[in-house]
Amino acid sequence: MAQITIDPQGEKIESFALLSGHKIHAIGLGTWRAHNARDSVYTAIVEAGYRHVDTAAEYGVQDEVGHGIKAAIHAGVERSALFVTSKLWCSDLSRERVRPALMKTLNELQLGYLDLYLIHWPFRLKDGASRPPKAGEVSDFDWEGVWREMEKLVKDKLVRDIGVCNFTVKKLKRLLDIAQIMPSVCQMEMHPGWRNEKMLEACKKNNIHVTAYSPLGSRELDLIHHPVVERVAGKLNKTPGQVLVRWAIQRGTSTIPKSDHSERIKENIKVFSWEIPELDFQAICDIPDQMRVLDGEELFVNKSDGPYKSVEDIWDHQI
Ligand code: NDP
Ligand code: 1BO
């Protein structure tokens, strides 16, 4: 369950405890496809009260995110008050490339450590792989070798927590069988149009915190105008975006909505002083149409040569 603290301005902030004992703030700013990440990050931290930022090497915005964080620290926010996540891209998913990839990320972000480092997707890609990949450009990876390197980053205090994204229950079991340091966080697509209940349950059972990505349905799925979401928003006098973010937190997940617009960045975090009543929460949980927005097809599926010949292969034929 979320823990509530009060910030120096008297505002409520919710966070979740990780297995490691560290805390993750319930809402972070997403930065995938961000157009002006420097300003968004600065606005989020300094003007809107975010303390959690989600980025990745693959997003190509880490320099800008770093400038935004630096400006926020210059404005008086302590580094130790921030929770910064980044991710190891698929082309660096080999034992010898984990640490150099992290060092490049730290350099781009101008940080001495990350709060959380995640394996972005559980598949290895060749450098410069096409989308969709050509024959031989995608493969499984050295799980034990890579995870040991991730663990060493924790031991060397370069990252405080490690975790994964885009996993299945089967892959989680495979990782837990070899992990000496447990993954603290699993980041997955989760919103009312893709509740991903089995993964949420599997993570809860293993005390792994879940961060819900694409909580608003990303650019591709319009949950903002979904009739159930609109009805609940109207009833509670909140915006649909706020209802979607609040729904994620009430499910026990942290979440990382992205916006390029300062008014939306501010809107999306104003969700700590109210709750969605049980019946309305359940109505959102009952939205019938379920479909992934980000199924990995373009990144990893090669229909003729494999090794992943379909989206179902990517997700181990598990729903
Ligand atoms: P989101 O669900 O956060 O949706 C972002 C979209 O919603 C943008 O088009 C944004 O437009 C719009 N939006 C933002 N706020 C509002 C609002 N209040 N009302 C209406 N529209 C709004 O999608 P993302 O896919 O970006 O997911 C969030 C973050 O999760 C990513 O940015 C990334 O950090 C992470 N992620 C991680 C993945 C992984 O593999 N681990 C995969 C995908 C995402 P605008 O910017 O114009 O405001
Ligand atoms: C290609 C990266 C998907 C968003 O995390």
Side-chain angles (χ1 to χ4, degrees), residues 8 10 14 26 44 50 52 58 63 70-71 76 80 83 102 120 129 131 151 195 200 232 237 260 294 299 305:
E14 288 184 49
Y50 287 62
H52 170 183
E58 180 62 11
D63 278 329
K70 193 174 180 188
S80 59
F83 190 100
L102 184 263
H120 204 151
R131 295 185 183 183
E151 290 169 336
R195 289 188 298 275
L200 186 57
V232 174
N237 203 18
D260 288 331
L294 192 55
L299 288 165
D305 293 293

Side-chain angles (χ1 to χ4, degrees), residues 242-254:
Q242 289 171 327
V243 166
L244 291 164
V245 171
R246 184 70 228 173
W247 180 82
I249 298 174
Q250 282 184 222
R251 282 184 103 207
T253 65
S254 54

Side-chain angles (χ1 to χ4, degrees), residues 250-285:
Q250 282 184 222
R251 282 184 103 207
T253 65
S254 54
T255 191
I256 45 179
K258 170 264 173 188
S259 179
D260 288 331
H261 298 97
S262 58
E263 64 290 357
R264 285 179 172 173
I265 291 171
K266 291 174 190 168
E267 170 190 327
N268 292 343
I269 199 171
K270 288 196 182 125
V271 297
F272 292 143
S273 57
W274 54 280
E275 287 196 359
I276 305 173
E278 181 55 31
L279 275 180
D280 296 314
F281 178 79
Q282 202 49 53
I284 301 173
C285 292

